[in-house]
Amino acid sequence: MGPKPIPIAVRFWKKVDVRGPSEGWPWLASKRRYGYGAIYRDGRIESAHRVSFEMAHGQIDERSVVMHTCDNPPCVNPAHLVTGDQAGNIADMVTKSRNASGES
């Protein structure tokens, strides 16, 4: 029998610079395209902000997206994350004049 797997929450929070409740909490480990954090969970690589949201608020539908109210891709502070659909995510990007690279 091999070693017991480390729970996702333990692995996750070791990779975050947790700051004040209203501040950004930067992801310190591997990042995906455009600066979004990445973590291995349940046999696949997932976006760290999505994992953070689910740990704080419960599992969400696969079709839902997790959006940053702070517009900071490496942030994983659950207080800065909301769910929506892709149409809402694109509308938010257009309203804020942000391009696909996350730059204003």
Side-chain angles (χ1 to χ4, degrees):
M1 189 182 269
K4 187 174 181 177
I6 299 170
I8 185 69
V10 172
R11 289 189 300 115
F12 185 92
W13 294 113
K14 285 182 178 181
K15 302 169 192 278
V16 179
D17 180 4
V18 177
R19 299 175 180 181
S22 64
E23 294 182 81
W25 296 0
W27 181 254
L28 303 174
S30 298
K31 293 190 177 78
R32 294 178 130 173
R33 192 171 177 190
Y34 306 124
Y36 293 93
I39 188 166
Y40 190 77
R41 177 175 75 161
D42 298 331
R44 66 184 200 167
I45 306 253
E46 294 199 42
S47 295
H49 65 289
R50 185 177 181 97
V51 173
S52 176
F53 184 91
E54 288 185 342
M55 285 191 301
H57 303 289
Q59 189 171 357
I60 58 173
D61 186 286
E62 280 293 320
R63 294 170 299 201
S64 295
V65 297
V66 177
M67 302 179 289
H68 290 84
T69 59
C70 60
D71 295 322
N72 184 13
C75 179
V76 294
N77 181 343
H80 292 187
L81 305 172
V82 296
T83 58
D85 60 18
Q86 188 58 22
N89 195 24
I90 291 169
D92 183 61
M93 180 183 73
V94 170
T95 299
K96 295 175 179 175
S97 299
R98 295 178 58 86
N99 65 26
S101 70
E103 298 172 356
S104 297

